Amino acid sequence: MINPELHKKPTALDRDKHRNLKLRTALSNLKASTGLNSLFLTTAEFGDACKEYPILFLAAGKDEQGKEQVAPVAVFGVTQGENLFLQADGRWDAFYVPAALRAYPFTMARVGPDQFAVVLDESWEGFSTEEGEAIFGADGQPTPMITELRKFIEQLEVETERTRLAGQRMMELKLLQPKRFDATLPDGSTLTVDGFLAVDEERLAQLTDAETLELARNGLLSLMHAHQISMGNMRRLIDRRVAALANKA
């Protein structure tokens, strides 16, 4: 899935056009997340991500059948253009790094009803024709690095579709509602985060026994619990922001 804020110049990988392209693997790809305050997260990542980040849902329009879509995101900052996890030296200050960022500068995009293509971000400074690990071998075939990477992003695409269906079901059951988060900072000023959806506990308690059983069996109930646990990280994110501002003072 292409993220315009991350993949600034997405281009389909082409064995002729990119025959001599190399990837400087010594350069941290995490630097690409500078100014990125959130990133798409698959539901398969909720268990790890909920320990580090707030997981929120964003409205993502409607599909061809008119069904409402949502996209879960891991939140890195509380204001636009703020990433509180990326350090000045390129390190990531959390144990878990979202899969979409680990895959960068590569991703996968749909080019037909059942066709997908490997895509790379040509704007990434880690690409070179002079140094690094080759993408294609002398025989024109993908190197083991790219073969393994393709497997990773193909699985990521599978999980993306599962995530879409999970969000769609939660919307059908009206379990996701607009929410806001308000915090008072040490200097007395207030900060509000809104424009997102979160699980409505009252609505969750109103589910029928049959609906609750369905969600327990298909794993959605545990996903929602992970999301609810992650909301406690909003306070930690505010504390992280306060500390970052204090260090700049």
Side-chain angles (χ1 to χ4, degrees):
M1 184 176 73
I2 295 174
N3 182 326
E5 294 185 73
L6 185 63
H7 310 100
K8 298 179 174 62
K9 192 178 178 182
T11 306
L13 183 63
D14 184 280
R15 82 173 64 242
D16 293 321
K17 180 180 179 180
H18 302 120
R19 182 71 174 263
N20 299 314
L21 201 62
K22 296 178 172 61
L23 180 64
R24 294 191 290 167
T25 53
L27 187 64
S28 172
N29 61 346
L30 302 178
K31 291 174 60 180
S33 67
T34 300
L36 200 65
N37 77 337
S38 65
L39 186 63
F40 174 78
L41 202 68
T42 67
T43 51
E45 302 176 82
F46 276 32
D48 290 316
C50 74
K51 304 168 188 175
E52 310 270 6
Y53 320 99
I55 300 173
L56 308 179
F57 293 86
L58 303 180
K62 297 182 179 181
D63 66 8
E64 295 176 352
Q65 286 74 45
K67 294 183 179 180
E68 292 183 282
Q69 305 292 294
V70 292
V73 296
V75 181
F76 306 147
V78 293
T79 60
Q80 195 68 30
E82 178 181 69
N83 186 336
L84 297 168
F85 290 89
L86 180 66
Q87 304 302 293
D89 60 2
R91 290 182 303 107
W92 192 261
D93 191 23
F95 288 108
Y96 184 75
V97 179
L101 186 52
R102 281 183 278 136
Y104 185 85
F106 298 94
T107 187
M108 188 158 280
R110 186 184 294 272
V111 294
D114 297 302
Q115 287 184 298
F116 293 87
V118 175
V119 169
L120 57 83
D121 180 8
E122 287 190 330
S123 73
W124 173 233
E125 62 181 328
F127 285 123
S128 170
T129 56
E130 304 298 326
E131 59 177 323
E133 192 167 343
I135 292 177
F136 291 102
D139 58 358
Q141 296 302 310
T143 60
M145 174 190 71
I146 292 300
T147 299
E148 286 303 308
L149 183 88
R150 184 183 181 100
K151 292 178 183 178
F152 179 71
I153 57 178
E154 283 178 344
Q155 185 57 39
L156 183 55
E157 194 63 33
V158 170
E159 295 300 338
T160 296
E161 176 61 15
R162 289 176 178 165
T163 300
R164 184 187 71 79
L165 294 175
Q168 183 174 293
R169 183 56 180 149
M170 285 188 277
M171 290 299 287
E172 289 171 347
L173 292 172
K174 297 181 172 55
L175 289 167
L176 298 177
Q177 300 294 334
K179 301 286 184 178
R180 59 182 285 169
F181 177 83
D182 296 298
T184 300
L185 304 183
D187 62 3
S189 62
T190 59
L191 189 150
T192 297
V193 179
D194 55 16
F196 65 89
L197 303 172
V199 169
D200 186 280
E201 293 187 12
E202 184 176 338
R203 170 58 187 148
L204 185 59
Q206 294 171 350
L207 291 176
T208 65
D209 290 346
E211 289 169 336
T212 301
L213 181 59
E214 173 205 336
L215 297 182
R217 285 179 171 172
N218 64 19
L220 281 181
L221 200 58
S222 61
L223 291 176
M224 287 186 285
H225 288 160
H227 153 69
Q228 290 173 311
I229 290 170
S230 82
M231 295 300 285
N233 292 324
M234 285 299 296
R235 182 68 255 178
R236 294 172 61 189
L237 196 62
I238 298 295
D239 292 343
R240 184 182 284 264
R241 184 173 193 266
V242 170
L245 292 175
N247 290 335
K248 291 180 180 179

